[in-house]
Amino acid sequence: MVTKNDFAPAEWKKLVQAPLLAGFAVSAADPSGFVGALQEAFANAKQLAEAKTGSGGDLVKAVADEILTPAGRADAREGIRSIVQGAQMDEIKSRALEALKETATLVNQKAPGEARAFNGWLAQIARTVAEAGTEGGFLGFGGVKVSDAEKATLGEISQILGA
């Protein structure tokens, strides 16, 4: 069973930040309006809540539990803040993808038995966020569920995570 104690504090922070970064990378690829951003944020939160009770593995549950604590939320927000600080929109996506790559490498090295489930969970979060809002169109009409930019980013995330 893999737990928080199996990781150094800085490593654990990376794991806690990863679920938000997975969704954030997709959101940054093709920013939605206010309503779309809310839908994407709610989709990410729903995935976190479902992970607590799902069958995603011990590491997924441990990270989901941590994010739902005040300290975990602060760590996750810190990760987002470090990604966006001083960056243009295209840089935000590439920074988030680089952070996901570091996290995937860390999990593959330190928890190889949990890596497939954890990386699959991150990929699922990204897909759920991409499908949450409608891109383009007007007032929610005539748009597409997943834009070409989001599809490309999902492909990059899948490649990074091996999912």
Side-chain angles (χ1 to χ4, degrees), residues 6-94:
D6 295 314
F7 298 90
E11 293 171 336
W12 185 249
K13 270 187 175 182
K14 285 183 183 288
L15 296 181
V16 170
Q17 294 167 354
L20 294 183
L21 291 175
F24 202 68
V26 172
S27 294
D30 192 0
S32 300
F34 179 73
V35 172
L38 283 176
Q39 290 170 324
E40 291 172 350
F42 284 128
N44 200 319
K46 182 180 177 196
Q47 286 292 307
L48 291 172
E50 288 175 359
K52 277 188 71 162
T53 58
S55 59
D58 294 331
L59 186 57
V60 169
K61 288 179 185 174
V63 169
D65 284 342
E66 183 77 16
I67 291 173
L68 297 175
T69 68
R73 280 191 300 276
D75 286 344
R77 280 192 306 265
E78 180 184 316
I80 296 293
R81 191 173 17 257
S82 70
I83 295 294
V84 299
Q85 209 163 27
Q88 300 297 323
M89 194 56 73
D90 59 335
E91 290 175 298
I92 291 171
K93 178 188 136 185
S94 63

Side-chain angles (χ1 to χ4, degrees), residues 55-152:
S55 59
D58 294 331
L59 186 57
V60 169
K61 288 179 185 174
V63 169
D65 284 342
E66 183 77 16
I67 291 173
L68 297 175
T69 68
R73 280 191 300 276
D75 286 344
R77 280 192 306 265
E78 180 184 316
I80 296 293
R81 191 173 17 257
S82 70
I83 295 294
V84 299
Q85 209 163 27
Q88 300 297 323
M89 194 56 73
D90 59 335
E91 290 175 298
I92 291 171
K93 178 188 136 185
S94 63
R95 287 180 182 185
L97 292 175
E98 184 59 37
L100 285 174
K101 185 184 286 186
E102 291 171 12
T103 301
T105 300
L106 173 65
V107 172
N108 289 334
Q109 291 172 350
K110 291 206 119 173
E114 295 279 331
R116 185 173 184 189
F118 189 80
N119 292 339
W121 177 53
L122 296 178
Q124 178 59 42
I125 289 171
R127 277 190 301 277
T128 301
V129 168
E131 295 169 354
T134 302
E135 306 300 329
F138 180 71
L139 297 175
F141 297 101
V144 295
K145 267 303 196 191
V146 182
S147 71
D148 290 340
E150 289 173 327
K151 287 177 187 174

